[in-house]
Structures are given as C-alpha cells and as structure tokens.
C-alpha cells in the first residue's frame, strides 16, 4: 500500500523520542530528558485546522486532501518555547525509554529507573524517581498495573511489578530464563527475541478495578497474586525448514521473519493452534542481524544491521541508513500513524495519512486492533 505522509523535522542533537497524550519526550545526546507541549509545537499551523487536528489525533485526518501535504520545520528556539517543567538528568546514555500509564521508564547500562508523570500539570515529578532493576537493560516494555518487562541479555527477561514508588526485589521481580535483546509486551502476551529464537510468554489476565468507592482488600490481594504468577512461555516454531530469526506482534497478529526472507503471519488468540494467515517473500539483506521490528498503522518497520526498512503490502522500501534510533506507537490510537526517526542533527516524524477508520496495511495495526 502506497501511503503519503506529513514530514515534521525537529532540529536538535537527540538520541531518542516518545510521544504520549500530547507530550513529546526527547532524550538529548548529553543524557537529559526534556518534555514538550506537542500541541504548542504545532501552533504555527493552527490556522490550518484540519491539519492541526490530524497531528493531534490521526483519527481526525479522514478529510484531509492532497494539497495539504507539507513539510513542517521546528527550530531549536521554537522547541524551547514549549518546554514543560525541569529537565531530567540521566545516569548514563539511555538504551530505551517508555511511557505508559503516566510513568516514564528509562533503561541504560545501570538498569531501569521510573519517574511519575503528573498529567494534570504536565510535569515529571522528579522526587518520585527510583530504580526498578540494577543491571544492564537493552529494551523495556511497560504494561498496565505498573508491570514492566526488561530485556536484560544473559540475565534473562526481567518482569518487575513495583508498588507505586517502591519495589521489593525478592517479591516483585521475576526472571524468564531467555538470553534476550528485545521484548514487546502487548496485552497479556510478551514477545521476546534472542539469538536462540523467538518466544511468547502468556501472562494471566488481570481483573478490572471495581468502580465502587471502598474496594475490598481481596481485590488487591488477588491482583497482586495474578501479577506475580509465572507465565507460560513457548518458543515460536515454524513448520518449514526455514528458521525464525525474529517475531513481533501487530495487534493480535503474530508475524515472524524467517531466515529465507519469508514473513509468515499467524493468529495469536489460540496459542497452541496458530494458523498461518499469509506468506510473503521478501528481498531483505537478512544476512545482517535483525535488531528490531515493530508495526504501526502504515505497516511494519524493520531494522537490519545499519539500515531501516518499511514493510508494506507494496513491498520493502529503504527508509534510513544508520539512524540513531527509531520508534512507532502500536498502542496509541492518537499516534498509530507515527514513525519517529532520530538522525544525527534532528528528529524526523512521519505522520502517515489515514483514509478510513478501518484503514491499515496488511502488516500494520488498525484502530480496532490496538490492545
């Protein structure tokens, strides 16, 4: 599927980015995190109301027409004007960040820290910062009820369950014995990739919080019991002779890239009876290591060696060579169409256009598939 997009270029020396509920998080090369008012940064196009509304929430973009496509440039001075709160100093060069349920998570060579985000004031509450995990962390993936998964290399997949602003290591940290370099937690399924292959861990479904004012203690005791329950972990296999070198989820679709260049799609709803949905032969340089794959509304993005590719119904296209970092937002309906690519002197944001509420690429996620 060929899809047009608006290009937004933000000047600066960054290493990572994240967008969450109208707040843009930027990690600078001097190991600091600052947050910015996303709507404020778009103020120079506020007179173009349809475009402005679309960039606030891509579901508002159904009526945009081709002559409204444009490039948007945000200079460093304009960025500073819309800064929110104080800058957060980091302990080291971050390897990953994640924002979920008003919590910022930061991974680096020292471990994983978390800081609460006060959404009403749009400020990071810096005195709430504490460490969840104290060893090298490659990737992190947050989930509801303060659950977080950490790809920690030879230390395994670490699942941490903090208690608001504290954590008890003996009770609140569990380990899945997989030598991991990447993980993605969507719903109750945690996909892990390692040099040994791809795995899926299925966690217990957590109960919804009652609406009543006085919530019984039994609810919390049951919630904590289920959060700490050992998941069922299964290696993702393929029926053919070709082996799986990477797997990822797009909503409830499970995709796997094979060492012969094929991508197979499966349905993850019934874990032990997964049926193949489609097979596509790709011309990818898979002799290099596959570092990460993620899906957005517009398709999938694949990082192989020094190169970044898009995978869509139309085929494979080169996006970037040696990007500093990149990110899509498969769990955010407002920004399901976003692709962030940090280059050497700027952040490039591609906001892909949406033609209908059910519009998504075969390798992508539609709005009703967001978990």
């Amino acid at each position: 599927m060929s899809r047009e997009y608006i290009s937004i270029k933000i000047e600066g020396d960054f290493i990572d980015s994240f967008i969450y509920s109208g707040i843009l998080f930027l990690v600078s090369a001097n190991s600091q995190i600052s947050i910015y008012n996303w709507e404020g940064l778009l103020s120079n196009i506020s007179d173009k109301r349809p475009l402005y509304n679309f960039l606030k929430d891509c579901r508002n973009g159904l009526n945009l027409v081709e002559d409204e496509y444009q490039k948007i440039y945000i200079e460093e001075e304009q960025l500073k004007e819309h800064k929110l709160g104080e800058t957060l100093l980091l302990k080291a060069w971050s390897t990953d960040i994640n924002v979920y349920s008003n919590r910022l998570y930061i991974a680096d060579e020292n471990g994983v820290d978390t800081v609460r985000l006060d959404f009403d004031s749009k400020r990071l509450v810096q005195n709430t910062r504490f460490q969840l995990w104290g060893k090298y962390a490659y990737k992190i993936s947050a989930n509801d009820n303060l659950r977080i998964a950490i790809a920690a290399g030879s230390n395994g997949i670490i699942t941490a369950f903090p208690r608001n602003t504290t954590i008890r290591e003996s009770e609140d940290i569990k380990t899945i014995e997989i030598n991991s370099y990447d993980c993605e937690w969507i719903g109750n399924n945690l996909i892990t990739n390692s040099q040994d292959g791809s795995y899926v861990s299925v966690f217990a479904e957590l109960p919804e919080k009652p609406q009543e004012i006085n919530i019984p203690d039994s609810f919390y005791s049951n919630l904590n019991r289920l959060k700490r329950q050992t998941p069922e972990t299964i290696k993702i296999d393929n029926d053919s002779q070709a082996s799986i070198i990477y797997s990822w989820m797009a909503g409830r679709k499970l995709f796997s890239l094979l060492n012969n260049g094929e991508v197979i799609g499966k349905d993850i709803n019934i874990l032990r009876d997964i049926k193949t949905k489609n097979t596509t032969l790709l011309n990818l340089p898979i002799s290099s290591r596959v570092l990460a794959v993620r899906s957005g509304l517009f398709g999938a993005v694949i990082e192989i060696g020094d190169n970044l590719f898009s995978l869509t119904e139309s085929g494979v296209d080169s996006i970037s060579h040696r990007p500093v970092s990149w990110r899509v937002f498969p769990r955010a309906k407002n920004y399901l169409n976003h692709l962030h690519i940090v280059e050497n002197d700027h952040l490039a944001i591609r906001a892909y256009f949406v033609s209908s509420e059910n519009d998504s690429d075969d390798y992508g996620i539609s709005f009703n598939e967001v978990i």
Side-chain angles (χ1 to χ4, degrees), residues 139-283:
K139 290 287 185 179
I140 49 178
S141 184
N143 209 331
D144 52 4
N145 286 281
L146 302 182
R147 297 184 292 177
I148 185 166
I150 305 164
S154 59
N155 289 306
I157 281 285
I158 308 301
T159 52
F161 313 98
R163 304 162 188 253
N164 196 17
T165 58
T166 61
I167 192 164
R168 303 174 190 171
E169 184 172 348
S170 61
E171 299 177 25
D172 302 336
I173 291 181
K174 305 293 182 183
T175 302
I176 302 172
E177 300 294 337
I178 302 172
N179 189 337
S180 60
Y181 65 85
D182 193 17
C183 63
E184 184 182 21
W185 208 340
I186 296 183
N188 297 320
N189 301 301
L190 177 64
I191 304 298
T192 300
N193 283 283
S194 73
Q195 293 182 357
D196 184 45
S198 302
Y199 297 81
V200 58
S201 299
V202 182
F203 287 76
E205 185 172 353
L206 301 182
E208 293 186 8
K209 189 175 182 179
Q211 297 297 318
E212 57 204 77
I213 298 176
N214 297 316
I215 301 174
D217 292 339
S218 58
F219 167 79
Y220 290 106
S221 60
N222 182 49
L223 176 65
N224 287 326
R225 178 185 62 84
L226 291 173
K227 282 169 64 174
R228 291 157 179 79
Q229 198 171 81
T230 301
E232 180 183 17
T233 298
I234 296 175
K235 187 173 184 179
I236 302 172
D237 291 322
N238 179 44
D239 294 335
S240 71
Q241 293 182 348
S243 61
I244 292 173
I245 58 176
Y246 193 97
S247 294
W248 75 100
M249 284 186 65
R252 297 198 177 278
K253 295 174 289 190
L254 175 69
F255 290 108
S256 294
L257 176 60
L258 309 183
N259 64 354
N260 65 357
E262 288 184 329
V263 171
I264 57 173
K266 302 177 181 180
D267 190 332
I268 201 168
N269 283 327
I270 306 173
L271 185 62
R272 295 192 180 279
D273 186 23
I274 297 174
K275 297 180 180 179
T276 298
K277 296 177 70 175
N278 53 62
T279 302
T280 303
L281 187 62
L282 304 175
N283 181 22

Side-chain angles (χ1 to χ4, degrees), residues 13 76 88 316:
D13 191 7
E76 290 187 63
L88 179 70
V316 177

Side-chain angles (χ1 to χ4, degrees), residues 15-18 27 33 90 92-99 104-109 111-113 136-142 148-151 181-185 292 294 324-329:
I15 63 171
D16 210 344
S17 68
F18 205 101
V27 185
I33 294 182
L90 303 185
W93 190 289
S94 63
T95 56
D96 196 14
I97 63 170
N98 199 289
V99 187
L104 166 65
Y105 299 92
I106 310 150
D108 61 31
E109 62 184 20
V112 177
D113 282 11
Y136 197 105
Y138 291 93
K139 290 287 185 179
I140 49 178
S141 184
I148 185 166
I150 305 164
Y181 65 85
D182 193 17
C183 63
E184 184 182 21
W185 208 340
R294 296 289 189 272
V324 177
S325 65
W326 63 276
R327 190 179 300 280
V328 295
F329 301 88

